[in-house]
Amino acid sequence: MSREIKFQFIFKGQPFGAEIPYFNWVTKTYTLEQLIGRNLNQLCHEAYALELVAKRQYTGLRDANDVEIYEFDLVRWGENVETVRFDDGSFQTESSCIDSSMEVIGNIYTHSELLISKEG
């Protein structure tokens, strides 16, 4: 069985007409078929002035809570928190292969505070 090919785009955006400067994270997920023939402007949400922050690929796996695992997700199992990366032809963390016993707790873009606490 082959894995479903999906990509997730993370945008940082400010709603149009916002009085106070602030931003939201906007995440969009597309299959490969949905992306073919589209340009980046067609992927953006029209209510936001968006900046593309990241493009992430689906690993084909789900975590212990049935959440899809993407490249650059932060996953936890036991006391360990590690980043999912594509390296040497496969998706893995710093110390092991990824599997369904892990739990996605965020990603390195929208949950950077988890990286700081991990390193500190």
Side-chain angles (χ1 to χ4, degrees):
M1 172 179 6
S2 63
R3 72 177 171 90
E4 183 176 20
I5 299 175
K6 290 184 183 179
F7 295 91
Q8 193 173 76
F9 294 80
I10 299 176
F11 298 93
K12 179 179 176 180
Q14 181 175 348
F16 288 130
E19 304 265 335
I20 302 169
Y22 73 94
F23 70 90
N24 290 329
W25 294 105
V26 178
T27 303
K28 298 283 194 169
T29 304
Y30 298 96
T31 64
L32 184 58
E33 291 77 26
Q34 290 172 316
L35 288 173
I36 293 173
R38 287 189 175 187
N39 64 41
L40 186 58
N41 291 336
Q42 294 171 310
L43 303 178
C44 295
H45 189 279
E46 294 136 10
Y48 287 86
L50 297 175
E51 168 192 352
L52 179 63
V53 175
K55 297 174 278 196
R56 306 177 332 131
Q57 188 174 170
Y58 177 46
T59 65
L61 300 172
R62 292 177 175 266
D63 75 355
N65 299 315
D66 203 34
V67 173
E68 293 179 341
I69 302 173
Y70 284 82
E71 185 176 20
F72 304 116
D73 271 341
L74 297 170
V75 293
R76 175 189 357 239
W77 77 102
E79 296 295 316
N80 299 322
V81 174
E82 295 188 357
T83 305
V84 174
R85 304 215 184 258
F86 187 79
D87 188 37
D88 200 25
S90 65
F91 290 100
Q92 51 194 303
T93 65
E94 289 92 342
S95 65
S96 70
C97 294
I98 56 175
D99 64 47
S100 61
S101 67
M102 298 176 172
E103 177 186 14
V104 174
I105 59 170
N107 65 67
I108 65 171
Y109 302 102
T110 61
H111 298 90
S112 59
E113 73 279 1
L114 296 172
L115 285 174
I116 294 167
S117 64
K118 176 185 147 187
E119 295 168 357

